[in-house]
Amino acid sequence: MIKVKIDGKEYRVKPGITILQVARENDIYIPTLCDDPRLEPYGGCRLCIVQIKGMPRPVTACTTPVTDGMEITTTNEYIEGLRKTIVELILSDHPNDCMVCEKAGDCSLQELAYFYGIRTNPYYGERRRYTTKDNNPFIERDMEKCILCGKCVRVCSEVQGVGAIEIAYRGFTAKVTPPFEKDLNCEFCGQCVSICPTGALMGKSSLGKGRQKDVKKIETVCPYCGCGCNMTLHVLRNEVIRVSSRPDNFHEGWLCVKGRFGFEFINSPDRLKRPLIRVKPRDKNSKELPVPDLNDFREASWDEALDLIANKLREIKDKYGPDAIAGLSSARCTNEENYIFQKFFRAVIGTNNIDHCARY
Amino acid sequence: MAGLATVFGSGAMTNSIPEIENNDLLFVIGSNTKENHPIIALRMIQAVRKGAKLIIADPRRVPLVRFAHLWLQHKPGTDVALLNSIAHVIVKEGLIKKEFIETHTEGFNEEFLKNLEEYTPEAGERITGVPKEKIIEAARLYAKAERAGIYYTMGITQHSHGTDNVFAIANLALLTGNLGKESAGVNPLRGQNNVQGSTDMGCSPNTYPGYQKVTIPAIKKKFEDLWGVRLPEKEGLTASEMLFEAEAGRLKAMYIMGENPVLSDPDTGHTVKALKELEFLVVQDIFLSETAAIADVVLPATCFAEKDGTFTNTERRVQRIRKAVAPPGEAKDDIWIINEISRRLGYNMNYAHPEEIWNEIGMAWPAVAGITYSRLERGGIQWPCPTIDHPGTPYLFKGGFPRGKGAFTVIKYKPSCEEPDLDYPFILTTGRMLFQYHTGTMTRRVKAIEALYHEPYVEINPEDALDLGIRNGDTVKVSSRRGSIVLKAMVTKRPERGVVFIPFHFREAAANMLTNSKALDPLCKIPELKVTTVNIEKFKED
Ligand code: SF4
Ligand code: SF4
Ligand code: SF4
Ligand code: FES
């Protein structure tokens, strides 16, 4: 353990970790744009600058390891002045259309502009204009809003192991892009969307569905594979409009394409809404793959459907015994549903003919 | 077999997902992790970045191969031969962990060693097609690692080769002492989100919740007391047996909750025929699936976002799901539905909230007794968790196996039922791709996914394609002894020569029209989903 002093207060910390890490562990706020604890330190945005006693120039907290006896100042007029200038420079070629931006209310840049009270901009200058649109179906890429923090590029290669995008060109024309400025064609995990501090990357299926106001957030678990990723459903007026995942869960907030962008089925018009009873007799001779057709059924009330099921099951049980009945349960149902389903077969029907599709 | 069999039979990971990052060796066999368990693959990539070695055994060049130090491209269905020959090398080169074997295992005897004799690297090469040098290297890498974890997907079913594979894998871990410690172990990756939970909950013909055998009288008695009824004595039918019994006319009624066996089970023709033979079929689902299409009654259920409850992921982590939106129309959750039918049959369940059911589960199965809804508010808990102050169990068998010793199993390689011949010269393997899920009922209703990945395809090796005069994107007909489907050819080096791959998500070209549900060979009594022989030809419109 070594000792450091931050803003006059002493802390005992592990050697080798960065100033920013120490600050985070102790709830000391240092603004950042390009840092994420889940990625390697980058040192690109310079917003996290701090002063160290005995050093002529401010250093970036995210890339500077603490040393014994270090005395650090995280905020004063000089530092805040520099930070404000940095934000102003970033905003100088930013579209500033927060009014209609999807990210409003959840945007790090907007938040910084707010805290530094940036209204008019002395640096306002030439803006980047990108007219070509990326036509991939998952991710809206609006590179005019990109602040080149490099997080998307890094998460794609460091975490996702894909490397689908890179920062091409230099200076004013620098730009995040897939190779040869083609449309994005990747695993569409959306890690980049989740980590982007601005509205440059957004999920297409969420566009125009709602921003932050009145949105309820509900913690749940992905319905797809056995990884069991935790997800937050963003719900507006009884519709799931977006999915996110908290960085503090067991999978660090990463999801795959199905978890992140695969929620549309919930509101599909094809969802079954009433019990159905068959009207068209089954064609026993055909072994062809059946074609689902609502016209083979008529709608029924719950009472009618449930009575029919209960009567049929009782009749078959009386005639052939309980072992003439079997149940298949689902790996997509909850534990509680699976439990009562097997209980139903064992305790109510009286058979152990109960299984699930365990192959995958 | 004590504890191990119970656990392996249940297919629970011995270790957990966050631990993967600290493995120093990962042996991934028969798992396309990057596409089927994407988040687990991310941890594997982190481990490799931190210096772990990665061995992949897979007939296909799966995406994770890019990160692998060693890729063993074995022929489909030859896993046991591969694993046994690796074990052979470990034993021959004296790389076993003697102390661990002596204190923690049994069955490391003459018979076991004798059986391994014949699986020399040369024999391994002959059967699997993997060069013997690679087999030897894999054995050395695995055995010499400090913390080596094996990752695989649950073979086929619990009654097939799958079990043999699991035992052959367990043997490796036992030989090298890679159990009962952090960042190692034997880790089956379960496919569907709550497949772990549905086995845990006793949706199996031979076990009550918590892997408690229905045939043990004391256990039966315990459940009779809990539920207040007499319970049946004999084991029930497995899913595949149900279909055979239905086809034979002995099984009269089935109730299918949230599954689509018509597309997901082998030999679609057989499944359809069997289900149509039933006197009465109830299907409960969120969409009118291909299986619901043949039902007598279809009940509209709720999806994950419309209900409360728990799921258990592949690392035994019990987690809460929460109701976020109201269900469409009159759709009802499964619990309400079962309550209602039960009541009509004279047994009152009357659960008002899933939490009441969970509390009953805790009474039935001590391993989750310490998990409560209020604890789950603060995040998931991994079973076993027997008491309210128990933190849960990230990895199993710390300090020994629950009921004594881990046992070695003598496993012999058995060739697959269908071997390629002149009529059906290719081996078909089926599986999943990243973007679609299972039978597609959910993902195929996501526009962005459909925009890019709506088309069924068959992966075929470039050399095979050349021989057959097939080019990338050509329409081809793939046939087996059971049926044929028409789809696009994707010419790619992913499968080796002689092997083709079809994802089973697509109803337009349902891969399971081709697969096998019946034993063709009297020796082999199991459905073999991963190995079917097929023929491929360019499709000509009649
Ligand atoms: S979606 Fe995933 S794979 Fe695609 S660019 Fe973003 S991070 Fe990379
Ligand atoms: S797109 Fe977003 S994450 Fe990527 S560099 Fe630009 S601002 Fe950063
Ligand atoms: S987000 Fe992807 S990896 Fe995670 S549980 Fe869902 S399907 Fe599996
Ligand atoms: S956060 Fe430190 S330089 Fe960007």
Side-chain angles (χ1 to χ4, degrees), chain B residues 28 89 93 189 232 271 291 297 341 429 444 463:
Chain B
V28 178
V89 176
E93 301 201 349
L189 309 178
T271 311
T291 307
V297 182
I341 299 175
T429 72
R444 300 213 62 194
E463 290 177 54

Side-chain angles (χ1 to χ4, degrees), chain A residues 5-170:
Chain A
K5 220 182 219 175
I6 302 181
D7 298 332
K9 213 176 144 201
E10 210 166 81
Y11 299 89
R12 300 175 65 83
V13 301
K14 287 195 296 278
I17 64 174
T18 64
I19 298 172
L20 184 62
Q21 279 169 308
V22 176
R24 282 201 174 121
E25 280 168 18
N26 294 289
D27 239 351
I28 301 162
Y29 175 69
I30 297 177
T32 62
L33 274 174
C34 72
D35 185 82
D36 186 291
R38 299 165 293 176
L39 299 178
E40 304 280 337
Y42 184 62
C45 73
R46 307 199 59 78
L47 205 69
C48 66
I49 45 171
V50 293
Q51 280 179 307
I52 295 172
K53 192 170 175 192
M55 287 212 191
R57 258 186 276 269
V59 298
T60 46
C62 66
T63 53
T64 311
V66 284
T67 54
D68 200 17
M70 201 180 240
E71 286 183 35
I72 302 149
T73 307
T74 66
T75 180
N76 59 27
E77 217 172 302
Y78 170 66
I79 297 174
E80 296 304 343
L82 286 178
R83 286 182 183 151
K84 181 173 181 182
T85 306
I86 292 168
V87 179
E88 280 172 340
L89 281 170
I90 294 173
L91 283 170
S92 70
D93 76 341
H94 199 79
N96 288 345
D97 61 355
C98 302
M99 208 55 103
V100 290
C101 180
E102 283 291 328
K103 190 79 170 181
D106 184 33
C107 173
S108 307
L109 190 58
Q110 196 186 39
E111 240 10 50
L112 287 165
Y114 166 81
F115 278 115
Y116 288 107
I118 301 168
R119 194 174 273 278
T120 50
N121 198 327
Y123 304 97
Y124 203 79
E126 192 190 347
R127 280 212 5 237
R128 296 164 296 172
R129 298 279 177 188
Y130 297 125
T131 43
T132 47
K133 225 176 119 66
D134 188 325
N135 288 313
N136 81 76
F138 292 94
I139 298 173
E140 182 79 11
R141 300 178 58 248
D142 182 352
M143 287 304 113
E144 293 185 9
K145 291 180 182 163
C146 171
I147 61 169
L148 294 166
C149 70
K151 278 189 191 174
C152 56
V153 175
R154 286 177 289 143
V155 78
C156 188
S157 99
E158 283 175 29
V159 172
Q160 196 62 20
V162 172
I165 40 181
E166 60 198 8
I167 298 188
Y169 317 115
R170 301 205 160 253

Side-chain angles (χ1 to χ4, degrees), chain A residues 40 137-138 158-161 186-188 218-230 233 235 238 250-252 254-258 261 264-265 268 270-278 282-284 286-290 292-293 297 302-303 306-310 312 314 316 320 323-348 350-357 359-360, chain B residues 34 38-39 42-43 46 49 66-67 154 156-157 190-194 197-199 201-205 207-209 227 231 234 236-239 242 251-259 264 276 278-280 286-288 290 292-298 300-301 304 306-307 310 312-315 319-322 325-326 328 330 332 334 338 342 344-345 347 351 354 357 360-361 373 434 437-438 442 445-448 452 507 529-530:
Chain A
E40 304 280 337
F138 292 94
E158 283 175 29
V159 172
Q160 196 62 20
C186 61
E187 294 180 358
F188 294 115
I218 288 121
E219 291 297 317
T220 193
V221 177
C222 177
Y224 290 108
C225 87
C227 294
C229 293
N230 297 181
L233 302 181
V235 177
N238 205 38
F250 77 90
H251 48 99
E252 301 184 319
W254 308 131
L255 297 173
C256 81
V257 59
K258 295 183 287 290
F261 298 124
E264 220 172 40
F265 76 91
S268 162
D270 301 345
R271 284 289 300 275
L272 292 171
K273 295 180 192 72
R274 296 198 71 193
L276 301 172
I277 293 177
R278 167 171 300 282
R282 286 200 277 265
D283 171 11
K284 278 208 184 183
S286 161
K287 284 169 64 178
E288 296 294 304
L289 187 68
D293 183 356
F297 301 87
W302 273 103
D303 269 332
L306 294 169
D307 286 343
L308 175 66
I309 293 170
K312 268 297 208 179
R314 190 183 299 111
I316 289 172
Y320 305 101
D323 289 335
I325 303 173
L328 268 186
S329 102
S330 169
R332 266 171 280 171
C333 293
T334 62
N335 288 328
E336 291 76 3
E337 289 162 343
N338 275 295
Y339 176 85
I340 71 159
F341 194 64
Q342 60 86 35
K343 178 174 172 182
F344 171 75
F345 271 85
R346 295 190 157 117
V348 184
T351 177
N352 282 316
N353 286 342
I354 162 87
D355 204 357
H356 68 290
C357 298
R359 268 199 329 276
Y360 284 96
Chain B
K34 192 87 167 79
I39 286 308
L42 298 192
R43 292 288 178 157
Q46 286 315 310
R49 284 172 60 89
R66 269 199 307 129
F67 301 89
M154 280 300 286
I156 301 156
T157 67
R190 309 306 301 262
Q192 299 191 58
N193 64 339
N194 200 32
S198 48
T199 18
M201 289 306 114
C203 283
S204 314
T207 57
Y208 295 117
W227 293 340
L231 293 172
K234 68 175 208 304
L237 302 168
T238 63
M242 288 175 197
L251 189 70
K252 303 292 181 185
M254 276 183 82
Y255 193 141
I256 302 178
M257 177 170 84
E259 280 294 342
S264 65
K276 283 183 174 174
L278 291 168
E279 262 182 57
F280 191 57
I286 61 172
F287 293 110
L288 192 66
E290 288 72 16
I294 32 185
D296 295 287
V297 182
V298 182
F304 82 108
E306 295 148 3
K307 61 193 173 194
T310 58
T312 306
N313 79 349
T314 183
E315 36 151 26
Q319 312 189 91
R320 265 288 257 126
I321 68 160
R322 294 180 183 83
V325 290
E330 294 173 21
K332 294 281 188 193
D334 298 328
I338 302 292
S342 258
R344 284 171 166 77
L345 290 173
Y347 185 100
Y351 297 107
I357 304 178
E360 182 176 320
I361 296 168
Y373 269 37
L434 171 64
Y437 176 73
H438 214 60
M442 284 146 58
R445 290 181 171 89
V446 175
K447 280 189 221 88
L452 284 185
R507 57 157 292 121
L529 199 62
K530 292 282 174 195

Side-chain angles (χ1 to χ4, degrees), chain B residues 118-348:
Chain B
E118 64 182 276
Y119 298 95
T120 59
E122 291 73 20
E125 170 166 348
R126 207 169 52 245
I127 302 170
T128 66
V130 177
K132 64 171 195 278
E133 296 75 24
K134 288 196 174 181
I135 294 175
I136 295 170
E137 197 187 340
R140 289 178 184 160
L141 281 172
Y142 177 75
K144 287 180 182 166
E146 264 311 298
R147 298 177 304 279
I150 307 184
Y151 302 84
Y152 60 99
T153 41
M154 280 300 286
I156 301 156
T157 67
Q158 283 147 355
H159 313 276
S160 69
H161 261 117
T163 318
D164 284 357
N165 293 345
V166 173
F167 287 136
I169 285 170
N171 286 343
L172 287 185
L174 290 171
L175 281 174
T176 55
N178 273 304
L179 283 164
K181 60 183 180 188
E182 221 173 315
S183 299
V186 171
N187 300 287
L189 309 178
R190 309 306 301 262
Q192 299 191 58
N193 64 339
N194 200 32
V195 68
Q196 184 66 50
S198 48
T199 18
D200 292 350
M201 289 306 114
C203 283
S204 314
N206 55 350
T207 57
Y208 295 117
Y211 308 96
Q212 308 179 69
K213 291 220 155 47
V214 297
T215 46
I216 298 176
I219 289 176
K220 183 160 93 72
K221 174 81 176 38
K222 171 175 138 185
F223 280 90
E224 287 178 337
D225 293 345
L226 184 65
W227 293 340
V229 284
R230 298 270 306 165
L231 293 172
E233 315 258 302
K234 68 175 208 304
E235 290 186 1
L237 302 168
T238 63
S240 48
E241 284 167 349
M242 288 175 197
L243 293 177
F244 285 108
E245 290 297 299
E247 193 172 11
R250 288 186 292 266
L251 189 70
K252 303 292 181 185
M254 276 183 82
Y255 193 141
I256 302 178
M257 177 170 84
E259 280 294 342
N260 189 11
V262 164
L263 275 193
S264 65
D265 278 26
D267 195 352
T268 302
H270 158 70
T271 311
V272 170
K273 189 157 178 294
L275 293 178
K276 283 183 174 174
E277 281 301 324
L278 291 168
E279 262 182 57
F280 191 57
L281 174 63
V282 182
V283 173
Q284 192 162 308
D285 211 327
I286 61 172
F287 293 110
L288 192 66
S289 67
E290 288 72 16
T291 307
I294 32 185
D296 295 287
V297 182
V298 182
L299 299 178
T302 51
C303 80
F304 82 108
E306 295 148 3
K307 61 193 173 194
D308 287 298
T310 58
F311 283 153
T312 306
N313 79 349
T314 183
E315 36 151 26
R316 300 169 277 106
R317 195 186 297 269
V318 179
Q319 312 189 91
R320 265 288 257 126
I321 68 160
R322 294 180 183 83
K323 181 172 173 165
V325 290
E330 294 173 21
K332 294 281 188 193
D333 60 72
D334 298 328
I335 293 173
W336 181 87
I337 299 172
I338 302 292
N339 272 340
E340 283 297 311
I341 299 175
S342 258
R343 189 170 55 77
R344 284 171 166 77
L345 290 173
Y347 185 100
N348 275 333

Side-chain angles (χ1 to χ4, degrees), chain A residues 226-264:
Chain A
C227 294
C229 293
N230 297 181
M231 47 171 50
T232 310
L233 302 181
H234 297 226
V235 177
L236 181 65
R237 293 188 270 282
N238 205 38
E239 186 186 351
V240 177
I241 58 166
R242 189 164 53 229
V243 167
S244 66
S245 184
R246 291 162 44 153
D248 61 355
N249 56 34
F250 77 90
H251 48 99
E252 301 184 319
W254 308 131
L255 297 173
C256 81
V257 59
K258 295 183 287 290
R260 198 179 300 279
F261 298 124
F263 54 86
E264 220 172 40

